Amino acid sequence: MSTNKAGDDMHSNHVGEFLKDNGIKPSYQRIKIYEYLMGSMTHPTVDTIYNALCDQIPTLSKTTVYNTLKVFIDKGIAMAITIDDNEVRYDTRTDVHGHFKCEKCNEIYDFKANIELEDEDVLRGFEITKQQLFFYGVCKHCSEAK
Amino acid sequence: MSTNKAGDDMHSNHVGEFLKDNGIKPSYQRIKIYEYLMGSMTHPTVDTIYNALCDQIPTLSKTTVYNTLKVFIDKGIAMAITIDDNEVRYDTRTDVHGHFKCEKCNEIYDFKANIELEDEDVLRGFEITKQQLFFYGVCKHCSEAK
DNA sequence: TCTCAATTTGTAATGATTACAAACCAATCA
DNA sequence: TGATTGGTTTGTAATCATTACAAATTGAGA
Ligand SMILES: [Mn+2]
Ligand SMILES: [Mn+2]
Ligand SMILES: [Zn+2]
Ligand SMILES: [Zn+2]
């Protein structure tokens, strides 16, 4: 339906503009990958992203997903979340926030936390460029399911 | 010199007792690995541990280092630090504390921090079993070296 | 249309970790 | 003492996410 088409295009244009504003040439693949990543609340892995987009972009290569995510990170519009030890997850939320991983359902939850140094002296003079806060355990949903 | 020998033995016995107290049969390899890990402030990797002990234990296998560290972690006397994306580091400090990684010299620094949830509701009912707090940047030493 | 640089793609290499089975060891028992 | 046995150690092979690399494709300008 043409309304949907138009809506998609507007959205894609919007994402394209956003990429351009951040110094990234908005190729079809990059737009689709950014759209997917932004729309997903699951902090997907490369494999998840690749499999999700295979249908829309039959020629897509996994290397492109890796390359594109690296570009996003370099330009500061995405973040790598190394909360798993076997594969990296990605996030378009770039503000400082924590991640909780449920060891039962493997879901990742966002949360906001305030971190204050106990011994102010230890890191005095250190330049902090990145933070990661990871909690692990069992989420409420899995707890209640017993 | 016999005093040194005696000292070493006492120390090893001490570590052996500690392992036994934590339900771990104190084999030669396990004692040496725990001693090294405890004595090192660098949060060493499997490779570092393996190379450091090769001289003392010529038959040592890297698999043993992996196995042993897994036992330590299972029994709660060591911790895996996944602050690097390509290899895991290990720590005998099991109290909750943060780690700063200098991207220049790759050194890992310990620090204590207080974490308070901003939006208390988000993780209400969640069971938290493990926390990891990682800071990345440039340490004071590297900053001053310019 | 031609050119050129950037992007994409497929394949091969890398390297940390795990799987697995054989060898070894240390304690117990006949 | 010698056999048994279960846990520990060891070496090798497999796994698998990520990276390296070079060829193919694209697309904007001349
Ligand atoms: Mn997030
Ligand atoms: Mn530490
Ligand atoms: Zn859950
Ligand atoms: Zn440094």
Side-chain angles (χ1 to χ4, degrees):
Chain A
M1 207 166 272
S2 67
T3 27
N4 282 343
K5 245 311 163 58
D8 285 357
D9 287 353
M10 268 189 61
H11 187 235
S12 287
N13 282 341
H14 198 238
V15 171
E17 286 303 319
F18 176 73
L19 294 181
K20 223 181 294 178
D21 288 348
N22 286 91
I24 300 168
K25 185 182 245 183
S27 73
Y28 183 65
Q29 286 87 339
R30 286 171 175 175
I31 289 172
K32 288 301 175 190
I33 291 171
Y34 188 82
E35 275 177 356
Y36 178 78
L37 187 57
M38 194 178 49
S40 153
M41 291 284 86
T42 62
H43 303 86
T45 65
V46 162
D47 210 61
T48 308
I49 298 169
Y50 173 76
N51 286 315
L53 297 178
C54 264
D55 293 336
Q56 294 181 61
I57 318 173
T59 66
L60 184 64
S61 161
K62 210 173 268 190
T63 302
T64 298
V65 180
Y66 278 106
N67 290 340
T68 300
L69 291 169
K70 190 184 288 289
V71 171
F72 290 172
I73 291 171
D74 286 348
K75 298 297 185 181
I77 65 169
M79 200 163 109
I81 310 290
T82 57
I83 197 170
D84 293 305
D85 45 352
N86 54 335
E87 52 187 350
V88 179
R89 290 164 170 274
Y90 296 88
D91 196 348
T92 55
R93 265 190 73 176
T94 54
D95 66 308
V96 176
H97 65 285
H99 292 100
F100 177 97
K101 181 187 179 188
C102 173
E103 312 267 33
K104 282 260 194 299
C105 63
N106 290 323
E107 195 126 343
I108 307 281
Y109 297 83
D110 287 320
F111 66 89
K112 289 291 282 181
N114 229 321
I115 299 165
E116 64 181 30
L117 300 180
E118 272 186 24
D119 187 356
E120 197 68 40
D121 285 341
V122 178
L123 296 185
R124 189 184 303 283
F126 285 46
E127 182 192 355
I128 298 166
T129 58
K130 192 174 53 168
Q131 310 186 12
Q132 301 254 44
L133 174 60
F134 300 141
F135 283 6
Y136 302 82
V138 181
C139 77
K140 188 181 181 179
H141 192 258
C142 288
S143 253
E144 287 170 350
K146 178 143 171 294
Chain B
M1 207 168 270
S2 68
T3 28
N4 281 345
K5 241 330 172 39
D8 285 359
D9 288 353
M10 270 189 59
H11 186 234
S12 287
N13 281 340
H14 198 236
V15 171
E17 286 303 319
F18 176 74
L19 294 180
K20 223 182 294 179
D21 290 348
N22 286 91
I24 301 167
K25 186 182 245 182
S27 74
Y28 183 66
Q29 286 87 339
R30 287 171 174 175
I31 290 172
K32 287 301 174 189
I33 291 172
Y34 188 81
E35 276 178 355
Y36 178 78
L37 187 55
M38 195 180 47
S40 152
M41 292 285 84
T42 62
H43 304 84
T45 65
V46 163
D47 210 60
T48 307
I49 297 170
Y50 173 74
N51 287 315
L53 296 178
C54 265
D55 293 335
Q56 293 181 61
I57 318 172
T59 66
L60 184 64
S61 161
K62 210 173 267 190
T63 302
T64 298
V65 180
Y66 278 106
N67 290 341
T68 300
L69 290 168
K70 190 183 289 289
V71 171
F72 290 172
I73 290 170
D74 286 347
K75 297 298 184 180
I77 65 169
M79 200 164 112
I81 310 290
T82 56
I83 197 168
D84 293 304
D85 45 353
N86 56 333
E87 53 188 349
V88 179
R89 290 164 170 273
Y90 296 88
D91 197 347
T92 55
R93 266 189 72 175
T94 53
D95 66 307
V96 175
H97 66 284
H99 291 101
F100 176 97
K101 180 186 179 187
C102 173
E103 311 268 33
K104 281 262 194 301
C105 63
N106 290 323
E107 195 126 343
I108 307 281
Y109 297 83
D110 288 318
F111 66 89
K112 290 290 282 181
N114 230 321
I115 299 165
E116 63 180 28
L117 299 180
E118 272 186 25
D119 187 357
E120 199 67 40
D121 285 340
V122 178
L123 297 185
R124 190 183 302 282
F126 284 47
E127 181 192 355
I128 298 166
T129 58
K130 191 174 57 165
Q131 310 188 10
Q132 300 254 46
L133 175 60
F134 300 140
F135 282 7
Y136 302 81
V138 181
C139 77
K140 189 180 179 180
H141 193 259
C142 288
S143 254
E144 288 171 350
K146 179 149 173 289

